[in-house]
Structure formats: C-alpha cells, structure tokens
Amino acid sequence: MTLPPSHPSPARRGPRIGVLGSYGGFNTGDEAILTCVLSCLRALRPGAHLVVLSRDAEHTRAHHPGADEVVPWEGVSRNHVLDVLPGLDLLVLGGGGILYDGEARRYLRLVRAAQTRGVPTFAYAVGAGPLTDAEDRDAVRTVLAEMDDVVVRDEESRLVLEEVGLEREVTVTADPALLLAPEPFTGAMMREEGIPSGTRLVGMSVREPGRAAEKLDEGDYHALLADVADFLVHRLDARVVFLPMERHDVRHAHAVLSHMTAPDQGRILHGDYSPGQVLGFMRHLDVAVGMRLHFVIFAALTGVPVLPLPYSGKVFDFARRLGAPALVGVAREQAGLLLAEVDRLWDEYPQRRDDLGARMAELSASARETCERCGSVLDAIGAAQGSDGAPAGDAGPVAGGPPGEEPAADGARDGRPTGTEPMACEPPGTEPMACEPPGTEQADNEPPGTGPLGSEPTGTAPPGTKPTETAPPGTKPTGTGPVGSESAGGGSCHAEPRPLSA
C-alpha cells in the first residue's frame, strides 16, 4: 500500500528516540500521556529526534507538533515499521494501560523486534491487566524481562506482572498525565457548549464496561449514575455536564440522560478539545463524579471535589492513593451508599483540602520520577556511545535553535539549556517559567482493559477541598487557583505542582 509521508522535521544531532503507545486521538487520557512523555524527552535531550509510532499518524502529526516524525504502525506493512527500529537509540513503551489481554502482544512484538536489533527499551509508567491470555502473558514475561528498565504507574500493575511470572525489578511511580498543565477553557467556549454562567456545575464521566468490567450491567450503572445526577441537580441546584473522554462515551452519556428525571439539566460536551483544554474546563466544575481514570486525575489536579466510581484495578488504585471513599464499584444496589458518599463529599470537602493537596503533590513527584529514570537510561546510552545519546563527538543542539547550534555550556543536568521554551508538561528539576501561549495538542486514557484484581482500597477519607475554605457548603468558591491552574497570561507550561492551599 502507499503510505503518506511521515513529514519528519529537519535532522537533529541528538539521539533518535521512538515512543510507542495507544496514540492517535482515540482517547483523551492517552493523548495527555503522549504530551507529557514528549515534553519529558525534549527536556532530557533537547536535540533528540522524537519518533512517535501512532495508530493514527495524521492525528498525531496535527496535534503533537513536539514529535519530529510520526510513523503509522496499524494497517501498514510490517516491514515499514521494522525499518524504523534499527535507527533508534531508545524505544519508549507507553505510558498508559496497554498491557492487557488481546493488546499486549501487539505492542510487545515491536518492542521485541527493537531488542533483537540491539535497541535499548524502556517501559514508561505503563498499566497492566487483566492478563489471562497465555500468549499475552508469555509476551509480557519474556519481553519485559529484557527491557532496560520497567516502570509501572500503580501497584495493581506491579502485582499483575508479578503474577504473570516476571522476575525482575519493577518500579511503581504514577500516571504521566499528573504533570499535564491546563489550557484556558474560555467563556466563549462555555457559551458555544450551551453551558450557562453563574450556575453550579457537576462534571460526570461514564464509559462502556469494556474488558475491564465485562460483567458490569449497562442498564444498572446507567440508572445509578442518573440517580446521582438527579440528586446533585436538586441538592446543589446545579447543571450536569458529561465529559466524553473517548468517542464511545457519548452513547453512554445519552443513556444516563435518558434515565434522569431532570434530563433538561444535563448537557454533553461536544467539542473536540485538547487534553489541556479538558483540564482547563475542570476548573469550572464544583463537583466531579466519574468512571474514567483520567477524568478523575484531571479533577484532582484542579482541586475539584471528586468521587471516583471504581470499575477496574487502575481506578481502585488511584482512589486509594487519592484518599477517596472505599466504594466497591458501580452496581445498582449500591445507590444509597453512593448518594451518601456524594453528599458527604460536598459537605466535608473544606476539611479535606490539605490532605488532597499533600497526596497530589506526592503523586506528581512520583510521576516526575519516571522521567528521571528515563534520563538515567539515556545517560547510560550516551556513556556507551561516548556522548549525549548520539554517536561519539556528535552533541545535540539547543532546543529551538538553528541546525548545528551547540548546546549551552551551562545547561541543566537533564540536558535542558538555559532559555529552552516551556512545555505543557514540565519534567523533573525544571524551574517556574513564563508561559507561552497554549499549545495545540489535542485528543481519557486507557483502552478498555486494565481490569480489577478483586481488591479494593482501604482509605475512607474523601478527597481534599474546594479552593477556598471560607465558603460555606453549597457555595461556589472563588479566589486563588487550584493545583494545575493556568499561570498569569493563560500559558501552557507547568512547573512544580503546588498544594491546594497555596
């Protein structure tokens, strides 16, 4: 077949780094992860040539200008993809939930092909499970054993890999999207969506059961979420806004609306927004209730009271680390318990604010650790090659500089020289900077499939608080911005996460 050109940027003199994952606009969370992985790599090696292996190359080219080259890996000749691998100095797998039944072997075939060609490989905060298929389990056990470093985003994934029989050190950090910075979601955008100003807003996320929860009855959980939506409409005199994090979410949002007694108070966000814009929209919310992992992450980043609805291990794990209520799932018979937790969340949020701030700071620090470990792998590659990951004597240029420009002598240890442009996701060690105008990256994470392991979180404290502690329950707070809020000028860079009380 005839392939579209990959539109590579002018050749860089640094290492060639490939990034393989579920990218291509299918899922907002995956696109947020790619944004942050590319930002990490660019900061670590400003002169690197970043090659994204995408499921939809045209989408990735259009929405991730930080990629120097995009190579399609679905629906193309296998040789077309394999020809790219020998030229790489490192292949990065992930992040996100990609090691699950039916999909793990597809990604790992490419990783194994890179390994047989002598290319170092790094697992970037991946999610794993469920893994019951013998072929997928064997691929995970053999290929990950040969990777230069394996980092997973949660404890559930580490336990899955241990159960599969992987015998090697596995580091647990946190989801890369915890370092995403918000972009403005303007008043004009709110009006275009038909969302009135001056009213309380409840954000909701609903998804298909998928492989992570195949026995979940759609009618039951649609009715359950409708009960929650109606309760919040009347309890807070609020409007409910459904945020589709993946295209299939729209159908399920309509199904919930059809079960509501007040469907006229609900709307579905219909625009095509970047992950940063979705994160920016979260700042308009008063409460968030949802199933999608990255919906929960985005709400927590912006300091919104959020109640996760655990349907899989990855959501259980994040709810536990967030200190969210220990719900046991989204079954219809739990409606009374769920409504009580939503009510409690709203009333007690001011008292939980500091706890959420501390937990989010810890999670963000864990997410930065992944980037640090990737930097260590690149350091080892560079040492073996006699340079910064490029052939001996071939130093990479300053990011954003003209071809052939040498890096500044006083550049940071992570390879980012003074004056480098800010990025949407700041990796470890960066200082607060003046922000550039918002980027154009576009695209909830997780292809359905990171499944529950039968365990549930033990934490009972709801998440932290709204951005002001002085407002009585039921009022919409104002004042200082929450964690992850835009800096002055509405820019898209993101420095050290700060607690909500900052």
Side-chain angles (χ1 to χ4, degrees), residues 127-129 153-157 175 205 207-209 212-213 289-297 306-330 363 444-453 455-458:
R153 67 181 176 185
D154 51 49
E155 186 65 23
E156 294 288 343
S157 295
D175 194 283
S205 167
R207 59 159 295 163
E208 85 289 347
V289 179
M291 299 173 68
R292 286 277 184 191
L293 174 64
H294 284 87
F295 171 89
V296 176
I297 289 176
V306 57
L307 184 67
L309 299 180
Y311 70 95
S312 70
K314 62 188 178 185
V315 184
F316 275 117
D317 189 274
F318 189 77
R320 175 186 58 80
R321 298 173 79 175
L322 195 62
L327 299 176
V328 295
V330 288
L363 284 164
D444 167 32
N445 180 314
E446 316 342 318
T450 46
L453 299 177
S455 60
E456 53 202 57
T458 56

Side-chain angles (χ1 to χ4, degrees), residues 16 79-90 113-114 117-119:
R16 290 177 60 87
N79 289 336
H80 171 75
V81 183
L82 296 181
D83 287 345
V84 176
L85 300 179
L88 299 178
D89 294 285
L90 175 68
R117 288 159 175 78
V119 177

Side-chain angles (χ1 to χ4, degrees), residues 109-417:
R109 285 193 192 106
L110 290 178
V111 176
R112 184 57 181 160
Q115 292 172 343
T116 60
R117 288 159 175 78
V119 177
T121 53
F122 177 81
Y124 199 110
V126 297
L131 278 170
T132 59
D133 181 88
E135 185 176 344
D136 287 307
R137 290 167 65 90
D138 181 65
V140 167
R141 184 168 52 248
T142 56
V143 176
L144 267 63
E146 299 300 321
M147 298 188 79
D148 289 67
D149 197 6
V150 174
V151 180
V152 297
R153 67 181 176 185
D154 51 49
E155 186 65 23
E156 294 288 343
S157 295
R158 187 191 68 80
L159 292 174
V160 168
L161 297 183
E162 182 180 282
E163 191 275 331
V164 164
L166 179 64
E167 296 180 351
R168 64 162 299 153
E169 179 185 0
V170 174
T171 301
V172 179
T173 58
D175 194 283
L178 283 156
L179 300 179
L180 185 71
E183 299 170 23
F185 199 97
T186 65
M189 295 163 75
M190 295 286 282
R191 289 190 294 273
E192 186 174 340
E193 291 285 356
I195 301 174
S197 60
T199 185
R200 295 194 184 99
L201 296 177
V202 175
M204 295 196 75
S205 167
V206 57
R207 59 159 295 163
E208 85 289 347
R211 293 178 180 144
E214 292 177 338
K215 296 181 180 179
L216 188 65
D217 184 271
E218 285 190 8
D220 278 357
Y221 80 79
H222 289 161
L224 174 65
L225 293 182
D227 287 346
V228 174
D230 284 328
F231 173 81
L232 288 170
V233 164
H234 297 295
R235 170 77 161 84
L236 307 181
D237 189 23
R239 299 289 182 95
V240 176
V241 182
F242 293 87
L243 279 73
M245 304 290 279
E246 192 173 284
R247 66 189 68 174
H248 301 299
D249 294 357
V250 174
R251 178 175 72 85
H252 295 275
H254 278 292
V256 173
L257 276 171
S258 71
H259 284 80
M260 289 178 61
T261 60
D264 58 310
Q265 300 302 307
R267 294 198 66 84
I268 301 172
L269 214 62
H270 69 268
D272 186 16
Y273 302 111
S274 73
Q277 289 171 326
V278 175
L279 182 57
F281 175 79
M282 290 286 189
R283 300 185 66 214
H284 295 278
L285 300 179
D286 294 275
V287 181
V289 179
M291 299 173 68
R292 286 277 184 191
L293 174 64
H294 284 87
F295 171 89
V296 176
I297 289 176
F298 286 6
L301 279 173
T302 51
V304 174
V306 57
L307 184 67
L309 299 180
Y311 70 95
S312 70
K314 62 188 178 185
V315 184
F316 275 117
D317 189 274
F318 189 77
R320 175 186 58 80
R321 298 173 79 175
L322 195 62
L327 299 176
V328 295
V330 288
R332 185 73 175 92
E333 59 269 17
Q334 295 161 359
L337 173 62
L338 182 55
L339 293 179
E341 288 292 356
V342 172
D343 200 36
R344 180 185 174 199
L345 174 68
W346 178 257
D347 287 337
E348 296 185 1
Y349 194 71
Q351 290 75 46
R352 304 294 183 182
R353 178 181 181 183
D354 291 343
D355 179 64
L356 176 62
R359 289 173 181 269
M360 289 303 295
E362 181 179 342
L363 284 164
S364 296
S366 293
R368 289 193 295 274
E369 183 186 347
T370 312
C371 188
E372 293 170 353
R373 295 187 70 91
C374 188
S376 296
V377 172
L378 284 167
D379 288 344
I381 295 169
Q385 296 177 339
S387 71
D388 187 27
D394 192 11
V398 173
E405 180 175 331
E406 295 299 319
D410 58 348
R413 174 243 174 261
D414 63 5
R416 176 170 158 175

